[in-house]
Amino acid sequence: MNTITNSPETLRAAMVDNVKAAGHATSPAVEQTMRSVPRHKFVPEASIEDAYADIAVITKSASDGSALSCASVPTIVAMMLDQLQVQPGNRILEIGAGTGYNAALLAQLTGPGGAVTTVDIDAEVTAGARRGLDATGNEHVDVITRDGSLAAAENAPYDRIIFTVGAWDLTPEFWQQLAPGGRLVVPLRWRGQTRSVAFVRDGDALVSDSMDLCGFVPMLGQEGERSGTIDTGDLVTLFWDIDQTIDTEKLSGVLDQPKEVAWSGVTVGPYDSFDGIWLRISGTDSRTCRIATDKAAVEAKLCTPAIAVRSPALAEDDSLAYLAIRKAGDGTHELGAIGHGPYGHALAGQLCDETKAWNKDREALPALRLYPAGTPNSAFKFDSDIFFGQVIEKTTSRLMISVS
């Protein structure tokens, strides 16, 4: 083996170059930090090549093979650090200790005048993070074993809070412990999708200023999402939130009913993302959910969503429609929708209308505001250019999504 070519330093430099090429680590501080912190020392059981590849390194799995803890993909790490905008001297709370690598990055970003606390519910995970941090000269990072939903009042208030686990809800502790004007970055889940959202605190509201598509190991103990299959072979699953009235018993067998197919006329290239359709429709239609289809259902043409494992859908009573895609013949693909049931045609048409609206400004993002549960509607702030809005009722918070 060529020890020079495959040295940690060379591979780390290549990793950061790749992160930069992907459009992340835009801050010079984030770039320099990622170039200096040795990621391989936090994943000692992985090969040097895997430690610096743009992949998630799984460090703990459940009995069914699902990931319980990992070192996140470097491009996602950089993306979220860009969103967090750490300043020297910041007090920082991290929810989800992982390997300790992200806490080490945070410690370098905030410097000797700041402080970093990282929390995880799993004692085995925090022990591993502690070892990695100690081995890299980060003994000053406070590692706490605790349910992350409780945060860490002993070191509050925090100028910055970052989640490295997926969260469906935010508990009151985060309003109590985030300083006025502080920033909170969280992979937030709603209507079946996950976005890394950067919020800035404005009084009792958390107001978004950026969001990016992502996926994370879910936070334990949050039961706000429901799921159920809608076919006899249990190959097609819907995912929805507890504030929705979706009933999979009513939808059972709906895919056996005739298809209502509609096409939008909107085309995408091979590298074009169209996840913005899902993001937009979650702010305009309370029936939005996620559909996931097993490969066997796709091959049998029982259910053929645009992306088999995750596509937006609309569900109402005993009817359903989901986003679909077909070849356009010129290297592009056309987006449309397939509906089933009495309202299938109307639901498919609605999805096409949303696709056309998204196509007018593909970069547009909705505005998100997160409030504590119990906040009256009269306290919600709408901008003058807001055309549509939805309020999603979570357990301990209320999420307002508004689309212009």
Side-chain angles (χ1 to χ4, degrees):
M1 178 180 292
N2 187 325
T3 57
I4 296 177
T5 301
N6 295 318
S7 69
E9 294 77 17
T10 301
L11 292 172
R12 185 159 62 250
M15 176 192 78
V16 181
D17 289 345
N18 179 66
V19 165
K20 293 283 292 180
H24 305 302
T26 57
S27 157
V30 170
E31 178 184 352
Q32 181 55 42
T33 296
M34 294 191 74
R35 290 193 185 280
S36 61
V37 174
R39 189 173 188 251
H40 67 284
K41 292 188 177 181
F42 293 91
V43 286
E45 296 183 1
S47 68
I48 293 294
E49 290 77 13
D50 282 351
Y52 290 107
D54 198 41
I55 59 173
V57 178
I58 308 301
T59 54
K60 185 173 182 179
S61 300
S63 57
D64 63 359
S66 60
L68 292 176
S69 187
C70 69
S72 299
V73 177
T75 49
I76 298 297
V77 170
M79 177 190 80
M80 295 180 70
L81 290 177
D82 283 341
Q83 289 182 295
L84 195 62
Q85 298 181 18
V86 174
Q87 301 300 311
N90 279 167
R91 299 179 65 81
I92 305 172
L93 172 64
E94 177 188 41
I95 304 300
T99 63
Y101 172 66
N102 201 63
L105 296 172
L106 294 168
Q108 182 159 317
L109 286 167
T110 191
V116 176
T117 302
T118 186
V119 176
D120 202 286
I121 197 172
D122 190 322
E124 185 178 350
V125 170
T126 53
R130 181 77 275 166
R131 287 192 298 271
L133 288 163
D134 291 349
T136 54
N138 291 287
E139 298 89 347
H140 56 292
V141 173
D142 195 1
V143 182
I144 299 174
T145 305
R146 177 182 300 157
D147 182 345
S149 67
L150 300 175
E154 56 266 50
N155 295 330
Y158 300 100
D159 305 293
R160 301 289 187 269
I161 298 177
I162 184 170
F163 285 65
T164 55
V165 290
W168 183 83
D169 199 3
L170 291 189
T171 58
E173 282 79 1
F174 294 99
W175 273 271
Q176 297 163 9
Q177 297 178 32
L178 181 64
R183 296 181 69 85
L184 183 149
V185 175
V186 56
L188 188 64
R189 192 167 182 85
W190 74 93
R191 299 306 190 239
Q193 63 184 325
T194 304
R195 302 272 170 168
S196 177
V197 184
F199 288 104
V200 177
R201 182 165 188 172
D202 178 12
D204 285 336
L206 296 178
V207 182
S208 68
D209 74 354
S210 70
M211 65 189 77
D212 286 283
L213 187 70
C214 66
F216 272 84
V217 174
M219 192 171 182
L220 297 177
Q222 296 198 334
E223 306 296 336
E225 190 175 58
R226 301 287 184 261
S227 65
T229 57
I230 58 173
D231 66 303
T232 55
D234 295 338
L235 300 175
V236 182
T237 305
L238 290 186
F239 298 83
W240 68 97
D241 295 323
I242 57 173
D243 67 323
Q244 296 177 287
T245 57
I246 293 172
D247 185 347
T248 50
E249 288 190 7
K250 289 184 179 179
L251 288 164
S252 179
V254 67
L255 297 173
D256 296 324
Q257 298 185 38
K259 292 182 179 181
E260 297 283 353
V261 182
W263 297 104
S264 66
V266 174
T267 59
V268 292
Y271 302 108
D272 293 341
S273 170
F274 48 87
D275 280 293
I277 299 168
W278 197 342
L279 184 58
R280 175 186 170 80
I281 201 170
S282 71
T284 63
D285 200 313
S286 62
R287 302 168 295 184
T288 306
C289 57
R290 169 191 169 199
I291 192 167
T293 304
D294 188 274
K295 181 179 179 182
V298 175
E299 291 176 345
K301 301 189 184 305
L302 175 68
C303 185
T304 54
I307 300 176
V309 296
R310 55 170 187 86
S311 285
L314 297 177
E316 181 179 358
D317 295 329
D318 55 354
S319 300
L320 172 77
Y322 55 83
L323 192 69
I325 194 168
R326 67 177 178 180
K327 290 183 179 180
D330 56 356
T332 64
H333 288 75
E334 183 181 7
L335 297 169
I338 295 175
H340 297 267
Y343 311 124
H345 177 75
L347 294 174
Q350 180 65 24
L351 271 173
C352 285
D353 288 344
E354 293 293 344
T355 300
K356 294 172 186 176
W358 163 79
N359 190 50
K360 292 177 181 178
D361 184 358
R362 296 188 178 188
E363 301 303 316
L365 295 174
L368 271 59
R369 287 180 180 266
L370 196 65
Y371 297 85
T375 301
N377 289 346
S378 59
F380 289 5
K381 297 179 181 178
F382 286 90
D383 296 327
S384 59
D385 59 350
I386 295 305
F387 299 148
F388 305 101
Q390 290 287 320
V391 176
I392 295 177
E393 303 290 352
K394 294 179 176 287
T395 304
T396 57
S397 65
R398 306 186 74 195
L399 178 64
M400 187 185 81
I401 308 171
S402 46
V403 179
S404 58

